[in-house]
Amino acid sequence: MLISFQNVSRFYDKWPALENIELTVESGEFLVLSGPSGAGKTTLFRLIWMGDFPTSGVVEVSGYRSDRIRKGDLSNLRRKLGIVFQDFRLLSERTVFDNVALPLQVAGSSPRAVRKRVFSLLAEIELSHRRSSYPHELSGGEQQRVAIARAMVAHPVILLADEPTGNLDPDVSKQVIELLLEINRTGTTVILATHDPRQIPAGTARYLYLDKGHLANPVSWDGYNQL
Amino acid sequence: MIHLLKTSFHEGLLNIREKLGSFLVTLLMVSLSFMVFDIFLVVSWNVGTVLSNEQENVGIELFLNEDVTEVEAVNLADLISVMEGVRSVYYVSSLEAEAVFRADLPEQADLLILLGPQFHLPSSIQISLRPDYRASEKVSGLARTVSGMDGVKDVVYGQEYLPGLTRTVDMMGKLVILAGLVLAISLSLVVANTVRLAVVKRAPTVEIMSIVGAPGWFVRMPFLGEGLITGIAGSAGSLLLTGVISSILSSSIPHDFLPGKWILLVLLLGAASGAAGSWMGMRSGIPKPRS
Ligand SMILES: Nc1ncnc2c1ncn2[C@@H]1O[C@H](COP(=O)(O)OP(=O)(O)O)[C@@H](O)[C@H]1O
Ligand SMILES: [Mg+2]
């Protein structure tokens, strides 16, 4: 078990963003989390990377427990995670290369190791020629691929993608989803939040549906067929 | 770890380079306000040196009756030498006093001859005091005690300016501390403000860094560095400016520049207020990563 939510609730001013969530995620899974806007998907992600903590219950991620983790361990936890956002969150004043290199640099890798890894990753996502460009010079799809490269550069155990295609055209979205599937095939656990679970081919993923902070019965609900 | 420190240093430089202009303005502002303090320090250092030289000389001079024999005088001197606050005691005989008078004021030496052979300068006992006994109340207390002793004709000490002297030295010390305090507070507020602005400006970067696993100290380092550099460079700049002014004025107003220890203290004050300012700025500024 890589991730577990044990009766987790997160309240904002008495309003439950998440309530009584029970969930386990195994290593290597591809999990698709869907649900309407405001359902609590982003909150659930934030609890995983411990940018936020449950009001009650315990979240456990790769051995770190939300009720016991020390401040100094947050960076260690986050180095095991790669995170991708709907709005890319690239640093506008840095080149593609420096954006992708960031997680390695803040982990203290040598410049030589950083260069080697970043070059090979940029080649994989076919953006080598863009390494000296700035984010605003790229298309949305390219920016999201750079963001995914940044998330993957330090070989994370889990990739969290929070509506990564929300700002992209369908064609480009397809490319991004392909990339996520490829990442999952190499063994990385992927959790994808999306409005449109039909983006993922049937049979490749486990589906969860969140509504108003409640997880629809994750065993019996077959979101893919119902949609 | 080495690479991480290097990267952290690099981030700090990026941070400063992004707003080099406003950084230099802040530096100049800090330097100028520190300069006022430095000049004040130079003045009080010099006045303080003069005053403490004066204070050094604060002693008690005990003039003896003419009928006191040398043996009695030495006994008296021995008695005084063991009293509290007395550092040393020196007996000056009448003959010695005359010799000193002749050496110090050769053109008045004839005066002694005019006064005739039966006139003698009084013999005396010179009392020098321990530093902590040079304050006015203690000196006058001691003077009162010895003036009551047998064979003592007169007691002389810096009665006129002694109370003022002690008070001036005291007050200057307090003023320096007060000025330093005011300066430290205003500098840390200035730094806190620039750091707060820097934090807000860099919020997206800071947020992404902590999301991709940067340790907390790594995120804070550039801001702490900015405060430290502002404080140290600002105080160093002020010392430089003050030094230039001091050397320009030294021919017309003879004075000393600050001793090394004081220079170090000014730099430390700069560093400490800079660091404190950074800390205040970060406390109100660094965002928690969200969504
Ligand atoms: N920081 C916050 N403060 C107050 N309410 C919040 C905060 N973050 C999220 N919420 C609320 O929690 C609920 C779930 O939000 P979110 O997890 O962002 O949903 P989703 O990502 O599925 O659209 C929403 O009602 C939202 O308004
Ligand atoms: Mg969301």
Side-chain angles (χ1 to χ4, degrees):
Chain A
M1 166 214 74
L2 195 54
I3 301 174
S4 82
F5 279 62
Q6 296 152 31
N7 200 21
V8 169
S9 300
R10 178 62 172 100
F11 284 77
Y12 290 112
D13 300 329
K14 295 181 187 158
W15 268 95
L18 290 174
E19 198 165 21
N20 302 332
I21 302 293
E22 291 281 349
L23 173 66
T24 58
V25 181
E26 299 297 333
S27 180
E29 270 196 288
F30 196 120
L31 192 69
V32 177
L33 187 63
S34 63
S37 201
K41 303 182 291 296
T42 299
T43 304
L44 191 132
F45 275 33
R46 201 156 53 208
L47 292 178
I48 293 175
W49 59 268
M50 301 201 188
D52 192 8
F53 293 90
T55 312
S56 64
V58 174
V59 179
E60 194 171 337
V61 182
S62 191
Y64 294 102
R65 286 172 59 101
S66 61
D67 57 344
R68 292 196 201 138
I69 191 164
R70 282 172 305 161
K71 247 186 178 170
D73 273 335
L74 285 175
S75 56
N76 295 327
L77 164 68
R78 288 174 195 163
R79 280 177 203 171
K80 296 186 166 187
L81 309 176
I83 310 178
V84 177
F85 303 94
Q86 180 173 353
D87 54 357
F88 322 137
R89 304 262 185 111
L90 298 173
L91 298 179
S92 58
E93 75 283 7
R94 291 178 204 223
T95 61
V96 165
F97 179 93
D98 285 332
N99 267 286
V100 174
L102 194 65
L104 295 177
Q105 287 169 343
V106 304
S109 302
S110 75
R112 178 198 293 260
V114 172
R115 220 172 311 124
K116 191 162 166 245
R117 171 68 178 149
V118 175
F119 278 157
S120 88
L121 197 54
L122 285 177
E124 263 177 60
I125 60 166
E126 294 168 8
L127 281 177
S128 294
H129 60 295
R130 291 301 226 161
R131 63 174 176 267
S132 304
S133 304
Y134 287 88
H136 68 90
E137 299 168 333
L138 306 181
S139 71
E142 285 172 328
Q143 288 188 49
Q144 195 57 296
R145 271 149 62 208
V146 171
I148 292 171
R150 180 180 67 190
M152 294 307 297
V153 76
H155 302 286
V157 184
I158 305 164
L159 179 66
L160 303 174
D162 192 357
E163 306 196 40
T165 58
N167 287 352
L168 303 178
D169 298 337
D171 284 356
V172 183
S173 296
K174 226 173 141 187
Q175 258 189 340
V176 167
I177 297 294
E178 264 313 312
L179 191 54
L180 295 182
L181 287 167
E182 179 57 38
I183 287 166
N184 178 242
R185 272 194 289 274
T186 61
T188 310
T189 305
V190 176
I191 306 182
L192 167 69
T194 176
H195 283 303
D196 182 9
R198 279 167 297 192
Q199 289 173 311
I200 315 301
T204 34
R206 173 153 74 105
Y207 296 92
L208 292 179
Y209 190 81
L210 258 181
D211 193 14
K212 296 192 188 85
H214 292 264
L215 217 44
N217 188 339
V219 183
S220 66
W221 186 79
D222 182 357
Y224 188 74
N225 288 330
Q226 282 184 12
L227 281 160
Chain B
M1 195 61 195
I2 297 283
H3 296 305
L4 195 54
L5 280 173
K6 265 193 202 156
T7 310
S8 166
F9 186 70
H10 183 71
E11 287 294 327
L13 286 184
L14 273 184
N15 189 15
I16 286 175
R17 205 178 57 187
E18 257 173 42
K19 42 161 194 168
L20 192 60
S22 74
F23 178 71
L24 289 178
V25 170
T26 309
L27 216 56
L28 190 68
M29 244 168 71
V30 171
S31 287
L32 288 178
S33 55
F34 250 89
M35 201 176 85
V36 176
F37 178 63
D38 293 349
I39 291 173
F40 179 63
L41 276 187
V42 170
V43 170
S44 52
W45 165 250
N46 281 281
V47 174
T49 320
V50 171
L51 289 185
S52 68
N53 279 340
E54 288 295 325
Q55 232 181 1
E56 189 92 6
N57 294 332
V58 169
I60 299 176
E61 205 167 9
L62 216 65
F63 293 101
L64 304 174
N65 288 327
E66 268 155 50
D67 56 0
V68 173
T69 68
E70 186 155 346
V71 175
E72 284 170 339
V74 169
N75 282 341
L76 190 60
D78 283 346
L79 202 66
I80 293 169
S81 73
V82 296
M83 290 175 73
E84 213 189 324
V86 175
R87 186 168 64 182
S88 63
V89 170
Y90 183 68
Y91 167 65
V92 182
S93 68
S94 180
L95 282 176
E96 228 172 311
E98 274 179 41
V100 170
F101 185 87
R102 280 177 214 283
D104 279 359
L105 307 162
E107 56 282 13
Q108 258 104 41
D110 295 340
L111 215 62
L112 290 177
I113 299 165
L114 276 176
L115 288 168
Q118 60 276 46
F119 175 82
H120 295 291
L121 283 176
S123 57
S124 63
I125 293 175
Q126 313 277 333
I127 305 172
S128 93
L129 301 172
R130 285 213 327 257
D132 52 329
Y133 253 77
R134 288 178 199 146
S136 54
E137 329 81 67
K138 291 188 171 170
V139 176
S140 39
L142 196 64
R144 227 176 299 118
T145 312
V146 294
S147 69
M149 295 171 107
D150 268 354
V152 175
K153 185 161 74 182
D154 203 2
V155 174
V156 173
Y157 62 98
Q159 281 149 318
E160 300 295 308
Y161 68 104
L162 199 56
L165 181 68
T166 311
R167 220 176 301 129
T168 312
V169 171
D170 265 11
M171 201 157 76
M172 281 211 343
K174 279 183 191 143
L175 272 180
V176 167
I177 290 172
L178 187 74
L181 216 63
V182 168
L183 189 77
I185 290 172
S186 62
L187 173 61
S188 44
L189 288 180
V190 168
V191 170
N193 207 37
T194 61
V195 166
R196 192 176 299 127
L197 286 179
V199 166
V200 170
K201 188 152 174 260
R202 274 170 59 87
T205 309
V206 164
E207 198 175 354
I208 289 301
M209 284 193 169
S210 77
I211 285 175
V212 300
W217 66 263
F218 179 91
V219 171
R220 284 188 293 271
M221 196 74 114
F223 299 112
L224 194 65
E226 185 185 344
L228 270 178
I229 290 173
T230 309
I232 295 175
S235 53
S238 76
L239 286 167
L240 209 70
L241 291 175
T242 313
V244 169
I245 293 178
S246 160
S247 67
I248 289 173
L249 289 183
S250 66
S251 54
S252 46
I253 310 170
H255 66 278
D256 294 331
F257 193 57
L258 298 175
K261 229 197 236 167
W262 285 39
I263 290 178
L264 204 67
L265 270 174
V266 170
L267 291 174
L268 273 178
L269 185 72
S273 341
S278 287
W279 183 76
M280 290 192 290
M282 282 191 289
R283 239 170 66 108
S284 55
I286 287 207
K288 285 244 157 62
R290 58 183 165 79
S291 65

